[in-house]
Amino acid sequence: MPPKLQSILPALYLLGVLTLLLCPSGLCDCRIPPGIAHGSHHDISSFLSFTTVVHYECDEGYVLVGDPQITCRSSQWSSAAPQCKALCLKPEVENGKLSEDKDLFVESENVTIRCDSGYGVVNSQNITCSANRTWYPEVPKCEWEVHNGCEQVVEGSKLMQCLPSPTDVKMALEVYKLSLEIKRLKQEDQPKDLY
Ligand SMILES: *[C@@H]1O[C@H](CO)[C@@H](O)[C@H](O)[C@H]1NC(C)=O
Ligand SMILES: *[C@@H]1O[C@H](CO)[C@@H](O)[C@H](O)[C@H]1NC(C)=O
Ligand SMILES: *[C@@H]1O[C@H](CO)[C@@H](O)[C@H](O)[C@H]1NC(C)=O
């Protein structure tokens, strides 16, 4: 061995040890970065760097939760990959109010719908923003509730829905009008009988 090489051997050893300690990406890289649903990732490591850095991004309509960047250290990723959570638009409910009034909700957030007085909720009062960016179960409606004294109208309209044709409805209405007329006439007659 030439004496010159002998003198640089310790330096070479040191370099070897340092190389293993620093783990350049070519020698001891992490496994491929984990993929995520509704998002993508790309390598943003600088050209000369010893470490691999991966940056995550979410698709439109999704929000990133967690650290957007993970780094490869000693063959392991610095942390778990972030998540892309769905965003749901504020549910529009006529004649009702939301338990929380904001324009966007994040996946798995719950909202309670409270109908204005006189209105009743149809379907589930509580809904959850789901992974597919829709509300689950479907957004409820607030419908005018029937109060005392309105039953007859509702019964009447139900009856009409049961009648097969518009002519039948017309006839039923005529009969109903006649019955009212007769009732009125009878009432008018009664006081006269008293005299
Ligand atoms: C929403 O409600 C569901 C079930 O009712 C529950 O499991 C979940 O933790 C709630 N989400 C939040 C963010 O509170
Ligand atoms: C809706 O959620 C609220 C608050 O979490 C709860 O108090 C209520 O019982 C829920 N209503 C129904 C119908 O599940
Ligand atoms: C969205 O997800 C819910 C469950 O979380 C499911 O019931 C519903 O069918 C899904 N809607 C669409 C359009 O995929």
Side-chain angles (χ1 to χ4, degrees):
M1 204 180 278
K4 206 169 177 194
L5 187 59
Q6 221 161 26
S7 64
I8 63 161
L9 261 182
L12 278 177
Y13 280 135
L14 188 64
L15 188 68
V17 169
L18 275 177
T19 302
L20 285 175
L21 278 179
L22 290 170
C23 268
S25 37
L27 277 181
C28 48
D29 204 359
C30 293
R31 273 176 287 163
I32 49 168
I36 54 169
H38 312 295
S40 57
H41 58 81
H42 48 268
D43 193 327
I44 55 157
S45 323
S46 63
F47 180 59
L48 288 171
S49 105
F50 283 117
T51 50
T52 308
V53 183
V54 174
H55 185 83
Y56 285 87
E57 260 172 9
C58 290
D59 300 341
E60 215 181 304
Y62 292 83
V63 67
L64 192 128
V65 177
D67 202 336
Q69 234 156 269
I70 60 171
T71 307
C72 178
R73 284 197 200 105
S74 327
S75 304
Q76 278 193 336
W77 292 110
S78 54
S79 61
Q83 278 182 294
C84 290
K85 296 224 171 184
L87 289 172
C88 293
L89 290 177
K90 170 175 156 176
E92 295 293 339
V93 184
E94 258 180 74
N95 306 309
K97 288 188 181 56
L98 308 176
S99 54
E100 210 176 337
D101 197 24
K102 50 182 183 180
D103 290 333
L104 282 174
F105 292 82
V106 181
E107 186 179 330
S108 85
E109 265 190 299
N110 299 312
V111 182
T112 304
I113 284 96
R114 289 192 193 87
C115 294
D116 299 342
S117 82
Y119 291 84
V121 72
V122 180
N123 295 328
S124 176
Q125 184 188 24
N126 291 332
I127 53 175
T128 307
C129 175
S130 73
N132 52 25
R133 300 176 60 208
T134 58
W135 290 97
Y136 185 83
E138 64 180 300
V139 178
K141 283 188 173 71
C142 288
E143 280 186 0
W144 180 247
E145 277 188 328
V146 181
H147 294 286
N148 290 340
C150 302
E151 290 94 339
Q152 277 176 338
V153 177
V154 172
E155 280 312 305
S157 67
K158 267 190 203 151
L159 195 70
M160 274 176 213
Q161 279 163 10
C162 298
L163 294 170
S165 71
T167 35
D168 286 338
V169 171
K170 212 173 152 196
M171 184 119 109
L173 279 176
E174 291 295 325
V175 171
Y176 181 60
K177 241 166 81 183
L178 265 178
S179 74
L180 287 181
E181 197 86 345
I182 290 165
K183 218 163 139 187
R184 194 175 59 85
L185 284 174
K186 271 188 186 161
Q187 273 167 357
E188 274 177 8
D189 278 350
Q190 270 163 3
K192 276 181 206 153
D193 292 344
L194 289 174
Y195 296 106

